[in-house]
């Protein structure tokens, strides 16, 4: 590895070899990570380009979960548990599933509104009938009252027709929603299967590197233990992160901000990969 | 009561949280479904779930069945008689054949 900084037109070599300490040069971890990816404006690091597992492993102490690191380490070593095929199948089926809308909000509202309107008009008809009745009893003129009753009756009949139409529309919408929920039911089962297979995959990967991890912990500072029942890491997360690096098959340099090693060289030696100390 | 059924992992988690937090409004919880109290608060909780998860939340209103009120006597008697049958392996269709007990297909076509 070769670390160069470009200041204006001026190129300055900051370090070479398996272990480079950039603390004197005051280059921060983000800049180093960008440079390792080949994406920094001024700092250039000549090194193998990072693999897809490097994101999770290359910066111990960056907040990545310790189990995620162990899983990434196992993958970097080429482990491919059989359950992963089932996972892929379930994920494919999940992606292929199409989900229709099951919303019956509009028909529910229409049904409720038409029901209220029918109730209101029934009362209006009763009132109009009462008025007509009392005018008849008083021998008063009934022409207006008759018109009002006829009018209310006609509107009630229209509202009742509308209510029947609303009921039919709602029944149809509910039937469609019921059928569409079958797909949601399947999706939920697939989501659960994906989650279970993903858990199984992680457990299988962790199990594959469990011995290597225990050995690696002995070679790095601190204490950590990987257990698979339940799947967890007990002890120092940082130690686990360093052990995962040692287990992993990485080419690109690791960015060490941990203060766990006496020197960049000691870190490179312990982790078995090139190290940039910042 | 309000029956809330969920159709996604997110909706199921929300429902479980709601039930855990609102014990008094939860009549019963079964995995991805729950019965909430038939109160404004029960409805409030159910509607919040639907607001959050849309079509992944189904809400139905249930009521206890009073069979003496809504189920014809012939159906009740058939259920009792069939459960008291002497041969456990006899299917209902065979059991009902040649008796006054209702035919399963006919029962399926008649709404309560």
């Amino acid at each position: 590895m070769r670390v160069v900084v470009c200041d204006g037109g001026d190129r300055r070599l900051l370090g070479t070899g398996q272990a480079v300490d950039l603390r004197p040069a005051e280059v921060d971890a983000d800049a180093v990570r960008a440079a390792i990816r080949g994406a920094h404006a001024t700092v250039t690091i000549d090194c193998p380009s990072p693999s897809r597992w490097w994101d999770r492993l290359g910066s111990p102490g960056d907040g990545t979960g310790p189990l995620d690191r162990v899983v990434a380490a196992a993958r970097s070593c080429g482990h491919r548990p059989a359950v992963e095929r089932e996972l892929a199948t379930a994920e494919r089926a999940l992606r292929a599933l199409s989900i229709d809308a099951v919303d019956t909000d509009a028909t529910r509202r229409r049904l409720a509104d038409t029901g209220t309107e029918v109730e209101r008009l029934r009362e209006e008809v009763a009132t109009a009938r009462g008025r007509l009745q009392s005018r008849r009893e008083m021998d008063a003129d009934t022409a207006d009252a008759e018109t009002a009753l006829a009018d209310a009756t006609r509107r009630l009949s229209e509202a009742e027709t509308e209510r029947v139409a609303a009921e039919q529309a709602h029944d149809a919408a509910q039937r469609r929603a019921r059928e569409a929920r079958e797909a949601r039911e399947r999706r939920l089962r697939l989501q659960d299967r994906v989650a279970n297979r993903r858990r199984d995959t992680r457990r299988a990967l962790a199990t594959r590197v469990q011995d290597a991890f225990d050995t690696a912990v002995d070679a790095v500072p601190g204490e950590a233990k990987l257990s698979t029942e339940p799947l967890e890491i007990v002890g120092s997360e940082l130690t686990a992160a360093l052990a995962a690096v040692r287990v992993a098959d990485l080419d690109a340099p690791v960015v060490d901000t941990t203060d766990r090693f006496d020197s960049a060289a000691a870190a490179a030696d312990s982790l078995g990969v090139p190290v940039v100390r910042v | 009561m309000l029956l809330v059924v969920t159709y996604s992992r997110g909706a199921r988690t929300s429902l479980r949280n709601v039930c855990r937090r609102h014990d008094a409004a939860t009549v019963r919880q079964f995995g991805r479904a729950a019965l909430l109290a038939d109160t404004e608060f029960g409805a409030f909780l159910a509607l919040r779930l639907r607001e959050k998860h849309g079509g992944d939340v189904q809400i139905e209103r249930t009521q206890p069945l009073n069979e003496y009120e809504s189920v014809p006597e012939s159906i009740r008697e058939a259920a009792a008689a069939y459960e008291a049958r002497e041969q456990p392996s006899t299917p209902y269709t065979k059991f009902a054949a040649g008796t006054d007990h209702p035919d399963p297909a006919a029962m399926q076509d008649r709404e309560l």
Side-chain angles (χ1 to χ4, degrees):
Chain A
M1 152 172 71
R2 200 178 145 78
V3 186
V4 173
V5 66
C6 240
D7 247 339
D10 198 24
R11 284 171 64 83
R12 195 152 49 89
L13 181 66
L14 296 180
T16 57
Q18 288 296 94
V20 173
D21 191 341
L22 289 183
R23 278 174 298 180
E26 292 188 357
V27 180
D28 67 19
D30 287 340
V32 171
R33 276 191 283 269
I36 289 169
R37 290 196 194 92
H40 195 268
T42 54
V43 183
T44 315
I45 300 182
D46 261 344
C47 62
S49 50
S51 68
R52 51 193 294 214
W53 317 117
W54 180 85
D55 279 344
R56 259 168 271 173
L57 290 160
S59 307
D62 70 351
T64 305
L67 280 172
D68 290 345
R69 292 174 187 278
V70 171
V71 167
R75 287 190 193 283
S76 76
C77 298
H79 293 306
R80 296 281 175 273
V83 65
E84 215 166 28
R85 263 197 299 280
E86 291 172 40
L87 172 62
T89 308
E91 282 175 331
R92 247 194 327 275
L94 192 55
R95 275 196 301 275
L97 210 59
S98 73
I99 300 293
D100 292 330
V102 293
D103 191 10
T104 58
D105 190 76
T107 59
R108 281 200 305 274
R109 190 181 293 265
R110 181 175 162 208
L111 188 60
D113 288 347
T114 55
T116 314
E117 183 66 1
V118 165
E119 283 311 305
R120 194 184 65 75
L121 286 167
R122 271 189 193 141
E123 281 170 28
E124 201 177 309
V125 166
T127 311
R129 189 167 288 136
R131 244 185 76 224
L132 177 61
Q133 185 68 30
S134 65
R135 289 190 77 80
R136 272 186 189 142
E137 283 163 9
M138 290 188 302
D139 279 334
D141 178 29
T142 56
D144 283 355
E146 273 170 17
T147 313
L149 176 59
D151 182 50
T153 310
R154 179 184 50 78
R155 280 185 289 128
L156 173 60
S157 148
E158 281 169 10
E160 279 170 341
T161 309
E162 167 64 11
R163 157 114 191 142
V164 171
E167 267 169 14
Q168 286 169 348
H170 183 58
D171 285 350
Q174 269 189 313
R175 248 194 323 275
R176 279 195 302 275
R178 216 167 290 141
E179 283 159 19
R181 284 202 182 95
E182 301 277 317
R184 285 175 197 248
E185 188 97 41
R186 271 199 301 282
R187 182 183 59 180
L188 180 58
R189 275 201 299 274
L190 281 172
Q191 285 173 338
D192 282 342
R193 189 179 308 161
V194 165
N196 289 336
R197 294 298 170 272
R198 201 166 276 163
R199 224 176 358 251
D200 294 346
T201 302
R202 283 167 66 81
R203 182 187 306 284
L205 285 166
T207 307
R208 293 287 270 277
V209 295
Q210 194 171 18
D211 290 343
F213 182 86
D214 286 346
T215 314
V217 165
D218 292 338
V220 299
E223 286 304 324
K225 185 112 190 91
L226 168 64
S227 82
T228 50
E229 270 318 323
L231 186 60
E232 63 177 357
I233 283 172
V234 189
S236 160
E237 284 197 8
L238 203 48
T239 300
L242 297 172
V245 170
R246 193 177 153 94
V247 168
D249 184 6
L250 293 178
D251 295 325
V254 164
V255 185
D256 176 29
T257 56
T258 64
D259 272 333
R260 289 288 180 103
F261 298 100
D262 293 337
S263 65
D269 196 38
S270 167
L271 299 179
V273 280
V275 167
V276 180
R277 178 78 179 97
V278 286
Chain B
M1 287 172 287
L2 302 174
L3 173 67
V4 180
V5 186
T6 59
Y7 290 86
S8 70
R9 289 170 65 84
R12 183 174 62 191
T13 305
S14 294
L15 177 68
R16 284 178 183 162
N17 289 340
V18 161
C19 291
R20 206 169 21 239
R21 222 169 306 136
H22 303 286
D23 208 25
T26 306
V27 179
R28 202 70 82 217
Q29 213 236 303
F30 331 83
R32 43 182 281 241
L35 277 172
L36 301 183
D38 196 33
T39 59
E40 287 186 356
F41 191 66
F44 168 70
L45 296 174
L47 289 178
R48 271 179 53 196
L49 286 165
R50 177 143 74 197
E51 202 59 44
K52 190 169 174 187
H53 298 284
D56 289 339
V57 173
Q58 177 188 4
I59 308 173
E60 304 285 338
R61 196 170 184 185
T62 68
Q63 56 186 41
L65 174 73
N66 183 347
E67 69 273 39
Y68 301 105
E69 200 173 70
S70 10
V71 183
E73 199 179 353
S74 61
I75 310 295
R76 289 185 269 130
E77 280 177 355
Y82 183 58
E83 284 312 313
R85 69 192 176 278
E86 277 165 16
Q87 286 298 323
S89 57
T90 311
Y92 177 74
T93 313
K94 199 175 157 208
F95 176 82
T99 69
D100 287 344
H101 295 309
D103 170 59
M107 288 194 279
Q108 273 170 25
D109 288 340
R110 284 194 297 263
E111 286 198 13
L112 274 185

